[in-house]
Amino acid sequence: MNERLFDTAVQELKYKVIKELIQAYDKGLNNEIFHDIPIKIMPGPKASLRCCVYKERAILQERLKLAMGGDKDNDNVVEVIDIACDECPVDGIFVTPACRGCISHRCAEVCPKNAITIVDKHCVVDKSKCVECGKCTQACPYNAIILQKRPCVASCKANAIKVNEDKKAVIDNNKCVGCGACVYQCPFGAISDKSYILNALDILKNSKNNTEYKVYALIAPAIVAQFNYARIEQVVTGMGKLGFFQVIETALGADMTLSEEAEELCERGTLTSSCCPSFVKYVKINFPDLAKYISDTPSPMVMAGKLIKAMDPTAKVIFVGPCTSKKFEFKQEQAKDYVDCVLSFEELQAFLDARNIDVSSLEDTVLDNASYFGRIFARSGGLSEGVGELAKKHGFDAKPIAMSGLEDCRKQLLMLKVGKSPYNFFEGMACDGGCVNGALCLHHGPKSLTDVNRYGEMAKEKTVENTVKLFKLAGASDDKDKKE
């Protein structure tokens, strides 16, 4: 694996499939790709990841289908590759060899269902009685009893993943919020996101080098922490070589979202943010009584797309970001007129490499569209910081809380629900740490937070006033397209 690019070998496989698909597109797609691409990636004869090379290739064929848009009858942007989902142990309580056969039997004493007995001086769990409450795991002085969950189930804080009778992971689309945590956490890559790379390629091709219409790329501010082998200005130059007419910072839209959400907070008194579509969906599904507090302001992606379309009505807009949730957001009513396609950072890397563009060797293209506040939206707390500052200027005493990850969101929303929260503005991010740790980032880690803060400080604009003026001049700041 190229260590400069990805955290895991699963990401590397996804990248290879997308890269090969793009190169096949350039030569003219045909059905032979389902035979040729898997063999090229897994030439054999020995298997390197699975039981045999034939299974490896069969799974790659399924990855290729997802790379081409996946199941058209499934509205979810995240799907399970059944054939790849067969290596994880069954969930439940397990007794490890660390059991010492002690005589206190605390594990059996705390079990509320009498599911634990002592056989030959060792703990034995009756799975037919066990409710997996975990009390025995806490009682054992040797930590010899563990509650084992599949990584996908453990990672899904929306409780949308179950295991069926065939021991395959199943996603409940009525509960799934599209955060993509399962995509990143599944050790076998059996859960993956759909790709819209073919749509993006068509948009760029049909523009005829931006003569029929201009194609704009909207890049999420989290991108600054991704391409660690090159400067962000070089990446922008590389995107120009891919055929984009211009690269715009989504942080420009974040400035406007910040401005409008601050005004909303002053008017409504209590508000939850609308920047993360997975958080918004989580509130609507799990806390429907709190949906009245969700901001009506569109997300930064939609705001930036709206500005571009106001200035150039024939333009096409492709968002490039770190998360799966944007892949379902751009198809929603409030976004579909302003954003035409969404790609991930993983897919952008594959796109650049498929076209043999080494961004580290390119000159810089200056990028300075947004303010400090717009750029730090990429991390948890960035929005809260900005809303607090703007609300203060309006004479409103903002008491913001940054909720990092769905577990934290749940705790704070429960407090709001029962009327015991000391806060009046709730910034919700589905990913721990914010967009810098999105499921489709190239890599994750504490350095990403440092990179985003430094990127924000580099912004020439320190306030959002000039962005607000720009939106008004372009006629993109009216309220008619706010969410219902």
Side-chain angles (χ1 to χ4, degrees), residues 170-192:
V170 177
I171 299 174
D172 185 342
N173 288 351
N174 293 320
K175 292 183 178 179
C176 179
V177 298
C179 66
C182 56
V183 174
Y184 182 69
Q185 292 298 334
C186 178
F188 289 90
I191 306 179
S192 190

Side-chain angles (χ1 to χ4, degrees), residues 210-236:
N210 294 292
T211 57
E212 293 293 318
Y213 52 80
K214 295 178 175 62
V215 184
Y216 293 80
L218 275 180
I219 55 171
I223 196 172
V224 70
Q226 294 302 297
F227 295 82
N228 53 14
Y229 60 91
R231 296 182 297 276
I232 183 61
E233 293 83 3
Q234 292 176 304
V235 176
V236 172

Side-chain angles (χ1 to χ4, degrees), residues 28-41:
L29 288 178
N30 57 61
N31 288 331
E32 293 299 314
I33 61 173
F34 288 99
H35 173 269
D36 296 343
I37 290 179
I39 291 178
K40 184 175 182 180
I41 296 176

Side-chain angles (χ1 to χ4, degrees), residues 233-234 236-237 247 363-369 375 460:
E233 293 83 3
Q234 292 176 304
V236 172
T237 304
V247 178
E363 68 281 3
D364 290 352
T365 296
V366 177
L367 188 70
D368 192 26
N369 301 133
R375 286 181 171 180
K460 293 180 181 178

Side-chain angles (χ1 to χ4, degrees), residues 291-309:
K292 61 185 179 182
Y293 295 120
I294 299 173
S295 168
D296 290 327
T297 302
S299 71
M301 177 185 79
V302 177
M303 277 293 200
K306 186 177 180 182
L307 174 63
I308 293 171
K309 299 271 185 165

